[in-house]
Amino acid sequence: MIDYANTVFTTVATAVRDNHIGVTVIGEYVRKPSKFPTVTLDEISNVMVDYLEDSSNEETYAGLTYRLQVFSNNTSGKKAEARAIFATADKVMLGLGFRRVTYTTTPEIYESTIYSITATYEAVIDANGVIYAQ
């Protein structure tokens, strides 16, 4: 398996932390974080791209899907805070070569004090870590 998940996570987490003081950034899915604001970034799919493979019997390309979540519970301005944090993370993901394929906002039905944004990104990565937008 081609695995650059730590590199992608660290790049996004560093930019988010540098631009948004006090934000928590974690590398796995959570339904509801314990601290706010929180960003999660996790690789939800890493599959061999067989139509790009050669005869070496080594995996040379993988199709990646990442899920990005942003949570805010500000009393006033939670939507604005979530969107500002999302913009930072999104810019980094696009800069790495990923393509945003979904974007949804999800005010919690039973917990209306939380505003969240969820987006997914896709790309193909080669064994050397070069990312190609799909």
Side-chain angles (χ1 to χ4, degrees):
M1 181 172 102
I2 298 172
D3 186 6
Y4 284 89
N6 286 339
T7 302
V8 172
F9 174 81
T10 300
T11 303
V12 174
T14 300
V16 169
R17 289 180 184 128
D18 287 351
N19 288 284
H20 304 278
I21 305 304
V23 68
T24 299
V25 185
I26 56 177
E28 58 189 44
Y29 171 82
V30 296
R31 187 178 178 288
K32 179 181 171 186
S34 59
K35 292 175 61 178
F36 295 92
T38 293
V39 173
T40 71
L41 181 66
D42 61 319
E43 186 178 272
I44 59 174
S45 179
N46 182 324
V47 296
M48 187 172 163
V49 181
D50 55 0
Y51 64 86
L52 295 173
E53 297 301 320
D54 58 24
S55 61
S56 68
N57 287 333
E58 297 291 325
E59 184 176 11
T60 52
Y61 295 94
L64 305 177
T65 304
Y66 276 77
R67 173 180 40 217
L68 173 71
Q69 298 174 280
V70 180
F71 298 91
S72 175
N73 72 341
N74 274 353
T75 304
S76 175
K78 60 184 164 246
K79 178 180 178 181
E81 179 181 53
R83 290 177 66 87
I85 295 168
F86 173 81
T88 299
D90 184 63
K91 184 176 181 179
V92 175
M93 290 297 287
L94 298 176
L96 287 172
F98 284 85
R99 181 176 62 93
R100 183 178 355 100
V101 294
T102 66
Y103 173 95
T104 57
T105 60
T106 344
E108 293 290 332
I109 295 170
Y110 300 110
E111 184 72 55
S112 62
T113 60
I114 300 171
Y115 186 86
S116 67
I117 297 171
T118 302
T120 57
Y121 298 83
E122 292 180 347
V124 171
I125 191 167
D126 69 18
N128 297 315
V130 177
I131 297 173
Y132 309 90
Q134 289 184 301

